[in-house]
Amino acid sequence: MAFLSYLISGISLGSIYAIIALGYTMVYGIAKMLNFAHGDVIMVGGYMAYMATTEFGWSPLPSTLFAMAVCTLLGVLIEQFAYKPLRRAPSLAVLITAIGVSYFLQNAALLLWSANPKSFTSVVPFGTLRLFDGRLIISGTAMFTIIICIVIIVGLSAIVHRTKVGKAMRAVSEDRDAAQLMGVSVNRTISTTFAIGSALAAIAGVLLSSAYPILMPTSGAMPGIKAFTAAVFGGIGSIPGAFLGGILLGIIEILGKAYISTQLSDAIVFAVLIIILLVKPTGLLGRKVLVKV
Amino acid sequence: MRRLFQEKTTRNNTVTYLMVIAAYVLMQLLLSGGHISSALQGQLVPITAYIVMAVSLNLTVGVLGELSLGHAGFMSVGAFSGVIMSFLLESQIASPGLRLLLSMIIGAIVAGIFGFLIGIPVMRLQGDYLAIVTLAFGEIIKNVMNTIYIGLDAEGLKLSMSSSAALNLVEGGKTIINGPMGAVGIKKLSTFTAGFVLILITLFIVLNLINSRAGRAIMAVRDNKIAAESLGISVWRYRMMAFITSATLAGAAGALYALNYSTVIARKFDFNTSILVLVFVVLGGMGNIRGSIIAATILTVLPEVLRAFNDIRMLAYAVILILVMLARNNARLKRLFGQIKGIFTRQQAVVNIEEGGDSLD
Amino acid sequence: MILLTEKERTRMVPVPSHSIIPERDLEQRPILEVSRLGINFGGLVAVDDFNVIVGRSEISGLIGPNGAGKTTIFNLLTKVYEPTSGAILLDGQSTEKMNTVQINKAGIARTFQNIRLFPSLSVEDNIKIGLHNQFKYDMLTGILRLPRFFSAEKHAREKVRELLSIFNMEHMAKYKAGSLPYGAQRRLEFLRALATNPKLLLLDEPAAGMNPSETEDLMKHIQKIRDQFNIAIMLIEHDMRLVMGICEGIAVINYGRIIAKGTPEEIQANPEVIEAYLGKKKDERHADRQ
Ligand SMILES: Nc1ncnc2c1ncn2[C@@H]1O[C@H](COP(=O)(O)OP(=O)(O)O)[C@@H](O)[C@H]1O
Ligand SMILES: [Mg+2]
């Protein structure tokens, strides 16, 4: 029973990683860049929801929508001003710029909200579930997070595979120049991708802050790194891969904490990642790159 | 004398050495004149350590062409093994300079061994997958160093993963590494001069390596792996060589850095530090060793200079970083810089011919 | 795969009734003996049942339409791709256990259809990299600048000059390889391969993108280099004037299979070759393949 409850909290944490990883993987797949500032957009999402609930006194749903709106705008603006001018630049230049954006967001947050942790009020609408005479306790946050994650992955798959925007995204991801020739607006598609990814980051920020209600300017950094790891784990660029990678990472982290060592849980997560990559050098669901000579 | 400067690379390297020596002499003069603020004095050893970090990372990122996001991990390994060595030598060797030297050598060797071990999975991967493994390595080191307790007493070195009490040190023993508190009670051994010497050694190794058979092989692997293999160059061997050399130098820098303080914590060498060093390398120019030195110096001093604007200094740092990256990759600005450069350098060793230039007969 | 005995080899390698190996090479062991070489990519059989014997100083040619599998054959010979079937003997030695690096050390060098220079390095360094296994010294010797470093570098520089002089390219030694005009890049890649001191040199479309006078020049050079270095050269080329002009034996590939082998005269007279080149309707071709 203990195992089951660990497993559920693992899946719940993994769901948050998965939502963040989706943002990483979509941007990577379509804009071919590692958006290191993605983790900090999560943090901004957290603060926005915090402001909305505690300062404006809004209820959870509008607060979350507000956070999503702000993050979407932020994501699009970042893309416009920092990344778009570097479309043809070496990927490392874009990476460093993304790091600059990450520093910027963290330090702006530091100025606006100070380093003192803010305690976040959970947005989760339902309470704890007790099963088997109270031997299995599932927190409302865990259930809510998992449900939201499933909704998102279904919704995102529908967008990518059923809509015109999704078709454009797949085309740009396959071959940017060819897509351009076929009349797809590459710039607009990349913007849309950033918008979606950032909206997801806001949701992740709200969920993360609900589960771990301490909010700081650096709150997004570690989940960002972990989610990036999850995306690579699953095969970067692959949406099902990000989902799978996120969930697995969450499970490994929680089980590692429970059964091996609380302090070494991060080391365990990263060690498993290295082992997985040794066996599958392009991640679990990543496409093998074919080099034609 | 003229002959010495004929080859462009030789001339270039000489300028780099001279620049470092001149900076050192100038600093010594300023120091003896009492013109250096104590805040900046405290930065001198860290600056030299970061220069070595940047130059060594440039070997991996610029010369070998592989992105590493865990260079601080090697610094960490070098720092802690160097600190342990300094404790072991404390009662054996009187000369602090010699103790520092031996500690740095141990730091370098241990980091080199870690470079080899992490190199095994790294060498099988490409691009971003390779980068993530170096990141993972850095995080593992940080995490493990945070949970380790090492003590030294009459019975020798003792290790525990739970607490310093569990070390069961006998009378007179002391804790060297105290879990999340890091290495404690370090005797400060590092000096600015030691840092300067380490920079010179690093330059000697890296510049000579680049301009030799092995260095060319490394760059061949960077430019085109398949072509390199078809010419009988083992990609694995030369990638590994560059990676281990880079890790070894970072280890020496780590020992130098740690032995400059009385305590050092593992979080000092985290992902942010790896990224910071990567920023030095990219801003200084990929494969441009002198650029790494200049970028490391300026960017380490910059936050100090910006201290006047205390609140917004890191924000300003971020904005400067973004603007510099945008400016450097702006085609129009690039052309402008090229023209300015063209005015000053009349003769260029590496000449670019436009496509479709003259034929050869 | 087992190492073939002399007898098995003769059984497996169908030496054509009229060998196309030049007479001067007949007495000596062939430089390359390939039998039943094949590879599939997923469902696609890119090369199938490829058999060939190459004389020690022969200039031979592989021709055939685009996508026929010619480059893939080079990739198999150099182990860039691992063959799914077949045996390769290089100078009598099986290459089954060798990788690309060992193949080069054993004596095969090549150029690439899509040029693969080290674009950010100088012309001189590109060739020096080709000399990697000719003038050796270890990493420490290089870092410490021991006497061996200076002597090896000096010899390497002299060799670079000598090689560059073949194409009158000495003045380009310091140019960045990536900035050379297209034709010069091809010639540099040729020299770089030659620098590894091969017994067999594979040239993948060496005249591609060259004008007729450049091609003419290249033909002379290929022959000159063969004579001077006494090596075998196998080339893939679409320029029929070049192929028919300098190749002594030619194999025509279509859909991954040899459809004809012979001297230039025989190939030119072969109706199947003419058909493959002039092309038939697509469905007819498919029918042929069954
Ligand atoms: N790495 C690969 N993976 C899949 N198919 C390949 C690969 N390399 C070559 N092919 C296929 O094999 C066939 C032969 O290609 P190639 O040898 O390049 O032809 P060519 O005769 O023009 O040199 C082509 O259909 C090509 O698409
Ligand atoms: Mg071809």
Side-chain angles (χ1 to χ4, degrees):
Chain A
M1 217 39 87
F3 176 78
L4 203 58
S5 89
Y6 288 135
L7 192 64
I8 291 169
S9 38
I11 296 175
S12 158
L13 177 63
S15 299
I16 299 179
Y17 289 154
I19 298 171
I20 309 171
L22 284 172
Y24 265 115
T25 235
M26 280 176 64
V27 167
Y28 185 88
I30 289 151
K32 299 282 176 288
M33 67 163 288
L34 290 176
N35 180 16
F36 256 106
H38 193 65
D40 302 292
V41 178
I42 301 168
M43 173 270 298
V44 173
Y47 273 109
M48 285 304 142
Y50 165 80
M51 298 254 296
T53 48
T54 53
E55 313 227 330
F56 317 152
W58 293 2
S59 56
L61 185 63
S63 302
T64 306
L65 291 177
F66 172 67
M68 286 171 71
V70 173
C71 286
T72 304
L73 186 66
L74 182 67
V76 173
L77 286 178
I78 291 173
E79 202 278 321
Q80 279 296 312
F81 287 107
Y83 304 154
K84 196 175 162 196
L86 298 175
R87 229 13 90 69
R88 302 264 162 203
S91 61
L92 208 52
V94 192
L95 180 73
I96 300 292
T97 310
I99 288 162
V101 173
S102 162
Y103 284 175
F104 180 86
L105 292 179
Q106 282 186 25
N107 287 292
L110 193 65
L111 276 184
L112 289 171
W113 295 292
S114 86
N116 298 333
K118 301 269 184 281
S119 65
F120 190 92
T121 343
S122 173
V123 298
V124 176
F126 31 90
T128 307
L129 190 69
R130 287 168 203 280
L131 296 171
F132 307 110
D133 311 324
R135 277 183 296 153
L136 179 63
I137 299 172
I138 306 172
S139 75
T141 318
M143 279 186 296
F144 186 65
T145 306
I146 297 170
I147 292 170
I148 294 288
C149 179
I150 293 172
V151 171
I152 286 175
I153 190 85
V154 171
L156 203 60
S157 304
I159 292 178
V160 170
H161 291 285
R162 298 277 155 77
T163 65
K164 219 175 147 196
V165 180
K167 202 172 186 179
M169 285 175 166
R170 280 180 289 141
V172 174
S173 140
E174 199 66 43
D175 186 334
R176 187 186 293 175
D177 295 325
Q180 182 98 52
L181 287 175
M182 302 298 284
V184 175
S185 163
V186 170
N187 282 333
R188 180 135 29 95
T189 308
I190 293 180
S191 272
T192 313
T193 309
F194 269 88
I196 296 177
S198 305
L200 292 181
I203 297 177
V206 171
L207 291 171
L208 192 69
S209 309
S210 298
Y212 306 89
I214 297 163
L215 196 54
M216 284 190 287
T218 51
S219 282
M222 201 56 194
I225 293 179
K226 292 251 185 75
F228 168 47
T229 308
V232 175
F233 205 16
I236 193 148
S238 151
I239 288 179
F243 178 69
L244 185 65
I247 300 287
L248 282 179
L249 203 74
I251 294 175
I252 295 168
E253 183 174 333
I254 297 289
L255 291 186
K257 255 191 192 134
Y259 292 108
I260 305 176
S261 157
T262 326
Q263 286 136 345
L264 287 178
S265 68
D266 282 356
I268 295 165
V269 166
F270 288 112
V272 171
L273 169 83
I274 294 179
I275 293 167
I276 295 275
L277 286 184
L278 268 179
V279 182
K280 298 218 48 161
T282 52
L284 292 170
L285 303 181
R287 253 195 286 180
K288 206 169 176 289
V289 206
L290 258 184
V291 190
K292 269 198 195 178
V293 180
Chain B
M1 206 56 187
R2 270 208 62 183
R3 267 192 63 84
L4 189 69
F5 290 97
Q6 256 166 14
E7 280 277 326
K8 191 191 176 191
T9 49
T10 319
R11 194 176 54 210
N12 234 329
N13 294 348
T14 312
V15 171
T16 307
Y17 284 116
L18 288 179
M19 181 190 81
V20 170
I21 294 168
Y24 172 74
V25 171
L26 181 69
M27 279 317 290
Q28 286 295 5
L29 288 177
L30 289 174
L31 278 171
S32 60
H35 299 294
I36 304 289
S37 72
S38 64
L40 187 57
Q41 274 186 38
Q43 289 286 304
L44 288 179
V45 173
I47 288 174
T48 57
Y50 281 128
I51 288 176
V52 175
M53 286 296 287
V55 171
S56 59
L57 182 63
N58 207 336
L59 188 57
T60 303
V61 179
V63 182
L64 177 64
E66 300 290 7
L67 177 58
S68 165
L69 298 175
H71 204 50
F74 297 119
M75 192 183 191
S76 182
V77 170
F80 286 105
S81 51
V83 165
I84 293 170
M85 192 62 192
S86 78
F87 274 98
L88 287 173
L89 294 174
E90 206 173 323
S91 54
Q92 322 281 326
I93 296 174
S95 154
L98 190 57
R99 255 186 292 157
L100 174 64
L101 177 69
L102 291 174
S103 302
M104 278 174 21
I105 290 176
I106 289 299
I109 291 174
V110 176
I113 293 170
F114 272 82
F116 173 71
L117 293 177
I118 194 64
I120 295 170
V122 160
M123 292 307 130
R124 298 184 44 152
L125 302 169
Q126 307 278 331
D128 299 323
Y129 293 94
L130 184 156
I132 191 86
V133 167
T134 58
L135 184 160
F137 158 73
E139 291 300 308
I140 291 173
I141 291 290
K142 182 182 78 178
N143 198 205
V144 170
M145 289 317 299
N146 249 331
T147 55
I148 243 177
Y149 297 83
I150 292 177
L152 177 68
D153 62 13
E155 294 166 3
L157 277 179
K158 288 178 173 173
L159 174 92
S160 160
M161 296 299 281
S162 55
S163 71
S164 60
L167 290 170
N168 289 324
L169 296 175
V170 299
E171 188 69 26
K174 54 192 163 191
T175 307
I176 303 176
I177 296 176
N178 194 8
M181 323 264 274
V184 288
I186 307 171
K187 290 256 154 42
K188 187 175 183 302
L189 296 176
S190 298
T191 60
F192 178 43
T193 303
F196 165 69
V197 173
L198 182 62
I199 294 177
L200 288 186
I201 294 174
T202 303
L203 283 179
F204 184 79
I205 293 175
V206 173
L207 293 175
N208 283 358
L209 176 65
I210 293 176
N211 298 300
S212 73
R213 173 175 175 268
R216 285 191 300 262
I218 293 168
M219 291 184 284
V221 168
R222 169 194 66 195
D223 276 11
N224 201 314
K225 290 190 179 54
I226 288 168
E229 281 187 331
S230 84
L231 299 168
I233 290 170
S234 160
V235 168
W236 190 89
R237 183 191 163 105
Y238 287 99
R239 283 173 98 194
M240 196 58 130
M241 186 184 281
F243 201 68
I244 293 177
T245 308
S246 169
T248 304
L249 292 171
L256 176 80
Y257 184 91
L259 291 170
N260 187 46
Y261 298 98
S262 53
T263 60
V264 158
I265 52 169
R267 250 173 307 149
K268 195 73 214 156
F269 312 108
D270 64 358
F271 178 64
N272 287 323
T273 306
S274 295
I275 291 296
L276 188 71
V277 179
L278 182 64
V279 169
F280 299 158
V281 172
V282 176
L283 284 187
M286 306 281 273
N288 182 342
I289 302 298
R290 200 192 309 154
S292 288
I293 298 175
I294 296 171
T297 311
I298 292 178
L299 291 185
T300 314
V301 177
L302 188 64
E304 292 302 318
V305 176
L306 291 175
R307 204 170 272 283
F309 318 90
N310 210 354
D311 282 349
I312 57 157
R313 72 183 174 123
M314 287 315 288
L315 204 60
Y317 182 94
V319 172
I320 292 172
L321 183 61
I322 297 170
L323 291 180
V324 169
M325 288 320 291
L326 292 182
R328 280 183 55 133
N329 289 285
N330 184 309
R332 206 177 303 159
L333 277 177
K334 236 183 203 166
R335 225 173 303 131
L336 188 72
F337 280 132
Q339 281 164 1
I340 294 171
K341 217 171 158 187
I343 299 169
F344 289 108
T345 50
R346 259 171 294 154
Q347 174 210 356
Q348 270 183 294
V350 175
V351 187
N352 296 322
I353 308 179
E354 293 303 320
E355 277 281 328
D358 61 347
S359 74
L360 298 157
D361 27 43
Chain C
M1 189 63 55
I2 335 144
L3 265 178
L4 300 178
T5 63
E6 202 64 34
K7 206 173 126 207
E8 281 169 325
R9 196 185 329 135
T10 42
R11 193 163 45 79
M12 280 189 67
V13 182
V15 181
S17 48
H18 53 293
S19 176
I20 52 168
I21 295 183
E23 255 170 56
R24 63 177 186 283
D25 288 340
L26 275 176
E27 296 298 296
Q28 287 169 300
R29 178 165 63 199
I31 192 63
L32 187 69
E33 296 156 87
V34 180
S35 60
R36 309 243 159 118
L37 191 64
I39 188 171
N40 354 338
F41 297 112
L44 175 81
V45 182
V47 173
D48 187 26
D49 198 21
F50 178 76
N51 302 286
V52 77
I53 299 178
V54 179
R56 296 195 81 82
S57 67
E58 180 181 350
I59 298 179
S60 53
L62 287 181
I63 61 172
N66 272 325
K70 307 178 296 296
T71 299
T72 305
I73 290 170
F74 276 13
N75 286 334
L76 291 172
L77 293 178
T78 52
K79 289 289 182 82
V80 172
Y81 297 156
E82 197 60 40
T84 1
S85 61
I88 302 166
L89 297 186
L90 172 61
D91 207 0
Q93 195 191 355
S94 165
T95 68
E96 203 216 332
K97 297 237 153 54
M98 295 185 187
N99 60 26
T100 307
V101 172
Q102 291 159 333
I103 294 268
N104 175 264
K105 289 182 181 171
I108 301 186
R110 70 175 290 186
T111 65
F112 297 87
Q113 181 175 349
N114 46 343
I115 303 176
R116 286 176 178 267
L117 288 171
F118 306 119
S120 66
L121 304 182
S122 68
V123 166
E124 179 173 9
D125 280 350
N126 267 269
I127 297 183
K128 275 189 181 169
I129 290 165
L131 294 168
H132 186 80
N133 292 316
Q134 311 300 312
F135 300 100
K136 287 191 178 181
Y137 56 86
D138 62 23
M139 176 192 173
L140 270 184
T141 306
I143 289 176
L144 299 175
R145 296 290 194 246
L146 301 179
R148 174 98 189 87
F149 164 83
F150 291 101
S151 66
E153 287 290 313
K154 183 162 164 277
H155 287 129
R157 255 194 321 272
E158 283 162 5
K159 188 76 193 172
V160 169
R161 300 262 148 224
E162 190 187 317
L163 285 165
L164 284 175
S165 72
I166 295 177
F167 285 121
N168 295 322
M169 286 171 71
E170 296 102 313
H171 64 288
M172 294 184 171
K174 300 282 177 204
Y175 293 177
K176 204 159 131 178
S179 69
L180 295 181
Y182 189 78
Q185 291 201 8
R186 284 223 171 272
R187 283 181 280 259
L188 174 58
E189 207 192 20
F190 188 162
L191 294 179
R192 188 184 67 178
L194 198 57
T196 67
N197 198 17
K199 297 174 192 159
L200 170 63
L201 182 57
L202 308 177
L203 304 174
D204 199 341
E205 305 200 6
M210 289 189 180
N211 61 35
S213 87
E214 279 183 308
T215 307
E216 188 74 34
D217 192 54
L218 179 73
M219 283 166 70
K220 289 199 196 99
H221 277 110
I222 291 176
Q223 281 173 318
K224 193 177 111 190
I225 285 166
R226 189 271 312 269
D227 296 341
Q228 191 180 332
F229 292 82
N230 193 29
I231 57 175
I233 296 178
M234 186 192 269
L235 52 88
I236 295 172
E237 192 42 71
H238 290 297
D239 187 321
M240 283 307 132
R241 244 166 39 84
L242 186 148
V243 175
M244 299 303 166
I246 60 174
C247 291
E248 295 157 283
I250 295 170
V252 188
I253 320 287
N254 202 9
Y255 291 112
R257 288 175 150 273
I258 296 185
I259 57 168
K261 249 196 256 190
T263 61
E265 296 73 31
E266 290 165 340
I267 295 296
Q268 274 164 309
N270 187 318
E272 248 191 285
V273 177
I274 296 166
E275 228 170 48
Y277 264 88
L278 295 181
K280 294 188 284 184
K281 284 193 202 86
K282 219 176 183 174
D283 44 315
E284 280 179 66
R285 271 204 236 166
H286 272 288
D288 272 11
R289 255 185 124 181
Q290 307 306 315

